[in-house]
Amino acid sequence: MYGRDANAEFHHFVAKACRKEGFNLKIAYFQDDLYSVWALIGAGLGVALAPGSLQELRLPGIVFRKCEPALPVMEMGLAYMRTDKVSVVSQFLEVARKVARAYQNAS
């Protein structure tokens, strides 16, 4: 699990979802970066919640399973400087807006 200091909102989100399903987390390891989390899982030292998009990584020794029932949606935000005219920022914003619209339409 990410440490509270690294990502308090995510930590709270996961703990709340677990309580809703009738159990409390028993966290053995706290990590501040995703690669360390995957290393622990690959070594057989636990499980972690992850976005479905990470299944595309195809990490050796790691199996992804869908949560049933599905977890609640966690809102995300995007911060950028409006004055930033770098092409990659504009392209990223365009993609992020398309994804957000598609998600809203699917809900």
Side-chain angles (χ1 to χ4, degrees), residues 12-44:
H12 175 72
F13 173 80
V14 171
K16 183 178 175 183
C18 291
R19 282 192 304 274
K20 182 180 176 198
E21 293 303 317
F23 68 95
N24 290 315
L25 290 173
K26 182 178 177 185
I27 303 170
Y29 302 99
F30 288 100
Q31 293 298 322
D32 293 341
D33 68 273
L34 193 54
Y35 297 108
S36 297
V37 171
W38 297 139
L40 288 169
I41 294 168

Side-chain angles (χ1 to χ4, degrees), residues 10 12-21 49-50 67-75 103:
F10 182 74
H12 175 72
F13 173 80
V14 171
K16 183 178 175 183
C18 291
R19 282 192 304 274
K20 182 180 176 198
E21 293 303 317
L49 295 174
C67 290
E68 296 293 339
L71 293 172
V73 173
M74 181 176 185
E75 290 186 30
Y103 178 79

